[in-house]
Amino acid sequence: MIVLGVETSCDETSVAVLDGDGRVLSNVIASQMKAHAVYGGVVPEIAARAHLENLPSVFEDALATAGVALADVGLVAATAGPGLIGALLVGLSGARALAFARGVPLVGVNHLEGHLFSAHLSAGGQPAREIEYPFHGLVVSGGHAELVRVEEGCIVSLARTRDDAPGEAFDKVARRAGLPYPGGPVVDRIAARGDGGRFALPVGRAGDGSEDFSFSGLKTAMLKQFEKRGLDGSPLASENLPQELADLFASFQRAIVTALVQRVETVHRREGIRTLALSGGVAANSELRATLSRWGTENGVAVLLPEKSLTTDNAAMIAWAGLLRYRRDGAPALDSVVARSRWPLGT
Ligand code: KG4
Ligand code: ZN
C-alpha cells in the first residue's frame, strides 16, 4: 500500500509518500515562513494563495523523490482540520480530485492526530515503530497544547490550554521583544547561553483545580519585563543580546517547560503513564526534549521524541495517521470528507 499525504492547514505546503509499513519515502515541505515573517505571524489569505501556487510542484517533487508513479498510490490522506479554512480547502480539494480521478480512497485527517502519532515515525527510511496502546501524548505547537490518553480507536483529552498555546507564547513574546518570527527556535538558541533559574516567572495553571494550561500570565509578566528595560519591539539582534536578556529568555523557556512537565507528572501519578509521545512544533525545543527524557528515565516511562524534521507541520505524519485510520475504519464516501476550521481531538 502506497499512501500519499497532503498537509496545508497553516503555513507549510507539504506532500509525502509512505509505504504500508510507515516508511517515509518522501516528505517535501515548502515553507511560507518568509512571506509571513514581515507581518510577525501567519496571514490566512496569503497562506491560501501560496498553497495554491506551491502544491503542484511539491506534489511532483514528492512522487519523484519517492520514486513512485501516481498509479502506485493506493490511498490519499489529507489534513481536513483544524486550521485556516482557506488553506485547508486548497490541499483537501486537490487530494479529493486526485482520489476521484484515480479511483482510490480518501481519508480526511485531524492535524492534531497527525502530530500525535509522529513520534512513532522515522525520517530515515525505517519502518514506523509499533504502536502500543494505551499511550499518552503531549501535543505542543503554535496553535495547540493538549495532553491526551490514546487508546485503540479512542482519544481522551486530559488537559488543554485555556488561552495561548506554548508556541504562540514563544512567538508573541519574541515579537514583542523585537526578535524574528517564529520566536520558538530563536528563544531556544538564546536560552542555551542563559541562566533559566535567574528570574522567577509565573508557571501557568488554569487556577480552577483542573490540569489545563494557561500561558497568558507568563506572557504578561514578560511584557512587563520588556517595558522595564525599554524594549519597544524595535529589531533586536538575537546573537549578541546582553547576558541579562539571555537569562530572561532562558527563564521564560524554563517556565513553559516546567508547566508542561508538571502536568505530565500529575497525570503520571494518577494514571501511571508507561509511554509518552511528545509532538508538535514545540517538541523541537531542546530544553523540553532534555527535561522530559530525563524525567522519563527517572520514572520508568518510555518518552518518545519525534525526529526534529517531523516536529513542525509535515505531510508524512498526515499520511501515517491517515493510514492508521483507514486500517481501522476504512474510508468514508468521498463527498463526506469536508474541511473544518475547528476539530477537537477525539471527536
Ligand atoms: O506544529 P507547528 O509547525 O504548527 C502548528 O500546528 O502550530 O508548530 C509551530 C510552532 C511555532 O509557534 C514555533 O515557534 C514553535 O512551533 N517552535 C518552537 C521550536 N521550533 C518551533 N518552539 C520552541 N522551541 C523550538 N525549538
Ligand atoms: Zn501543527
Side-chain angles (χ1 to χ4, degrees):
M1 166 75 90
I2 293 289
V3 191
L4 185 102
V6 181
E7 155 64 37
T8 64
S9 67
C10 191
D11 61 345
E12 256 95 35
T13 314
S14 181
V15 177
V17 179
L18 260 64
D19 72 8
D21 295 322
R23 276 187 197 84
V24 180
L25 306 181
S26 68
N27 185 29
V28 179
I29 304 171
S31 171
Q32 311 170 3
M33 212 96 91
K34 284 207 182 97
H36 300 288
V38 281
Y39 302 100
V42 178
V43 183
E45 187 61 20
I46 294 177
R49 283 170 195 272
H51 285 309
L52 204 52
E53 254 163 49
N54 295 341
L55 194 56
S57 60
V58 170
F59 166 72
E60 284 185 1
D61 202 2
L63 285 181
T65 307
V68 305
L70 195 47
D72 300 330
V73 173
L75 174 69
V76 181
T79 306
L84 305 170
I85 195 71
L88 287 166
L89 279 170
V90 175
L92 188 61
S93 306
R96 186 188 291 112
L98 187 70
F100 178 72
R102 302 295 320 165
V104 299
L106 169 72
V107 179
V109 177
N110 182 310
H111 179 84
L112 300 171
E113 200 170 305
H115 278 303
L116 201 50
F117 289 93
S118 63
H120 292 82
L121 279 179
S122 134
Q126 302 299 312
R129 199 194 289 262
E130 192 164 340
I131 300 175
E132 288 173 30
Y133 296 97
F135 71 91
H136 284 78
L138 178 64
V139 186
V140 277
S141 73
H144 300 274
E146 194 151 357
L147 183 57
V148 299
R149 184 177 66 247
V150 187
E151 292 162 18
E152 192 144 21
C154 156
I155 298 169
V156 183
S157 176
L158 304 170
R160 54 177 56 179
T161 186
R162 290 290 176 86
D163 36 61
D164 289 336
E168 199 176 1
F170 273 112
D171 295 343
K172 284 182 179 166
V173 162
R175 180 180 166 191
R176 288 295 288 270
L179 293 169
Y181 171 85
V186 181
V187 172
D188 193 349
R189 273 196 303 277
I190 296 172
R193 58 180 186 81
D195 171 9
R198 175 154 174 201
F199 293 92
L201 295 165
V203 170
R205 294 208 73 105
D208 57 0
S210 80
E211 293 313 320
D212 284 350
F213 308 101
S214 163
F215 295 103
S216 62
L218 173 61
K219 196 178 64 189
T220 309
M222 283 299 280
L223 299 190
K224 282 203 187 119
Q225 295 281 347
F226 295 160
E227 258 168 41
K228 253 200 325 214
R229 292 174 173 76
L231 295 183
D232 59 0
S234 322
L236 272 187
S238 60
E239 318 77 60
N240 42 26
L241 288 186
Q243 190 58 43
E244 196 196 15
L245 279 186
D247 293 347
L248 180 60
F249 281 111
S251 306
F252 165 66
Q253 177 174 284
R254 178 72 50 85
I256 291 186
V257 170
T258 305
L260 297 173
V261 176
Q262 274 181 357
R263 244 45 126 256
V264 167
E265 242 165 17
T266 310
V267 169
H268 177 59
R269 275 198 298 273
R270 202 173 61 212
E271 319 207 328
I273 300 178
R274 281 181 303 169
T275 305
L276 178 77
L278 179 67
S279 63
V282 179
N285 187 268
S286 331
E287 186 172 353
L288 180 59
R289 293 171 80 94
T291 310
L292 269 183
S293 297
R294 211 179 316 120
W295 175 85
T297 310
E298 287 163 6
N299 290 278
V301 175
V303 174
L304 308 183
L305 301 176
E307 295 193 27
K308 285 214 178 158
S309 64
L310 297 173
T311 54
T312 41
D313 292 349
N314 66 86
M317 68 182 194
I318 300 302
W320 174 230
L323 177 63
L324 295 172
R325 276 247 163 235
Y326 177 69
R327 292 223 167 112
R328 207 172 41 239
D329 303 335
L334 254 195
D335 56 6
S336 72
V337 182
V338 291
R340 340 181 190 175
S341 55
R342 275 184 50 77
W343 184 2
L345 259 179
T347 61

